[in-house]
Amino acid sequence: MRPHALLACLLGLVVLLVTGCGGDGGSSPGAGAPASPPPSAALPPETTPSPVRTVPPTPPTLLPLPAKLPAGLIRTTGTKKVALTFDDGPTPAWTPKVLDRLKAAKVTAIFCVVGTQVRKHPGLLRRIVREGHQLCNHSWNHDLDLARRPVAEIRADLVRTNKEIRRAAPDAEVPFYRQPGGRWTAEVVKVAKQLDMRSLHWTVDPKDWAKPTAATIEKRVKRAARPGAVVLLHDGGGDRAATLAACQRLIAGLKRDHGITELA
């Protein structure tokens, strides 16, 4: 081989060695790029949140009903005359017609009104008062278990009902309270007394709420009425067509046989 050719081969070999074997110490493409993120194994482990269990509040324990009616209930007029009471109104379907019957007979009654009904029909409450009838608080929404609840709940219910009555008729007196269903406890009698209301029960219940015929209602009242009786009837809480139909003869008979009075 000629000397010039040999020299060229040697120079080519040197160039190949320099460019092909730079190693880690040389510059390489991407050497200035930011480092890759760490592998996922290096990240904090993801946690799955435990489901939140919502525990409903425990309802307050209801007091047991007493074996017999508590003391302090009004169960008589205190005279030979009887009293008529109408529960669960006022309602536009029946209360005006009952009022018409009472007005025609020239007698008055006690209306045991429910707070939610007074809120819906304040004009009927005003008519009851205007025509000389007495008022009785019959709870806010006819809660049969109200007397068994904590005293604070009983008080709040009765106060709320009285406020609604007086919103409709600011000067109205509410001298009585009647426990829905007659399910009395000593506690509700005490709360009513603290609110200047006497607890009004009854002695004659023809069960007109069960919708017997008008003749049956009239017969039951006539048979059970005694001097001083407090008669339970309804102008609300459902269809009272039979009660209304019984009223004309029933009222006339009680007025004739005993007389009908307010409660003192």
Side-chain angles (χ1 to χ4, degrees):
M1 180 179 293
R2 295 180 180 182
H4 291 91
L6 180 62
L7 180 61
C9 288
L10 290 174
L11 289 173
L13 181 61
V14 170
V15 171
L16 287 174
L17 289 174
V18 171
T19 59
C21 302
D24 293 336
S27 296
S28 62
S36 300
S40 60
L43 297 174
E46 294 185 3
T47 58
T48 303
S50 301
V52 177
R53 300 181 62 185
T54 302
V55 180
T58 303
T61 303
L62 297 177
L63 296 171
L65 284 174
K68 60 181 182 179
L69 291 173
L73 302 182
I74 298 175
R75 303 182 68 182
T76 177
T77 64
T79 71
K80 292 183 178 181
K81 294 182 178 182
V82 303
L84 288 173
T85 66
F86 291 90
D87 282 19
D88 302 350
T91 57
W94 309 111
T95 304
K97 296 173 184 177
V98 169
L99 289 169
D100 291 343
R101 298 286 193 277
L102 295 168
K103 187 175 184 179
K106 298 181 180 179
V107 297
T108 57
I110 299 97
F111 284 82
C112 301
V113 298
V114 174
T116 53
Q117 289 300 113
V118 174
R119 172 172 283 186
K120 293 176 185 175
H121 312 292
L124 290 178
L125 191 283
R126 286 191 288 272
R127 180 180 170 186
I128 291 170
V129 174
R130 186 169 62 249
E131 296 186 3
H133 303 285
Q134 293 178 296
L135 293 178
C136 172
N137 180 322
H138 197 34
S139 83
W140 179 252
N141 61 358
H142 205 269
D143 180 359
L144 292 173
D145 287 325
L146 178 61
R148 302 174 61 198
R149 300 191 186 282
V151 167
E153 288 188 28
I154 297 173
R155 175 181 290 273
D157 188 291
L158 271 57
V159 167
R160 184 182 187 187
T161 305
N162 278 348
K163 284 183 177 178
E164 197 63 41
I165 291 170
R166 293 189 175 108
R167 191 194 308 274
D171 297 327
E173 294 184 4
V174 189
F176 307 109
Y177 171 73
R178 175 172 279 172
Q179 168 61 28
R183 302 176 72 177
W184 297 95
T185 62
E187 287 75 13
V188 75
V189 173
K190 182 178 180 180
V191 170
K193 184 177 181 180
Q194 291 170 347
L195 297 173
D196 296 322
M197 294 184 293
R198 292 181 290 158
S199 295
L200 176 60
H201 196 58
W202 57 82
T203 50
V204 179
D205 179 8
K207 295 181 171 54
D208 65 330
W209 46 266
K211 300 180 183 178
T213 64
T216 298
I217 294 171
E218 183 185 347
K219 180 180 177 180
R220 287 173 178 174
V221 171
K222 184 176 180 179
R223 184 174 56 203
R226 298 289 184 274
V230 177
V231 181
L232 169 63
L233 295 167
H234 292 80
D235 66 321
D239 185 342
R240 299 304 172 211
T243 301
L244 182 66
C247 271
Q248 187 168 355
R249 288 169 56 87
L250 183 156
I251 293 170
L254 289 175
K255 184 179 179 180
R256 179 189 64 245
D257 298 337
H258 301 282
I260 296 174
T261 186
E262 293 183 343
L263 287 171

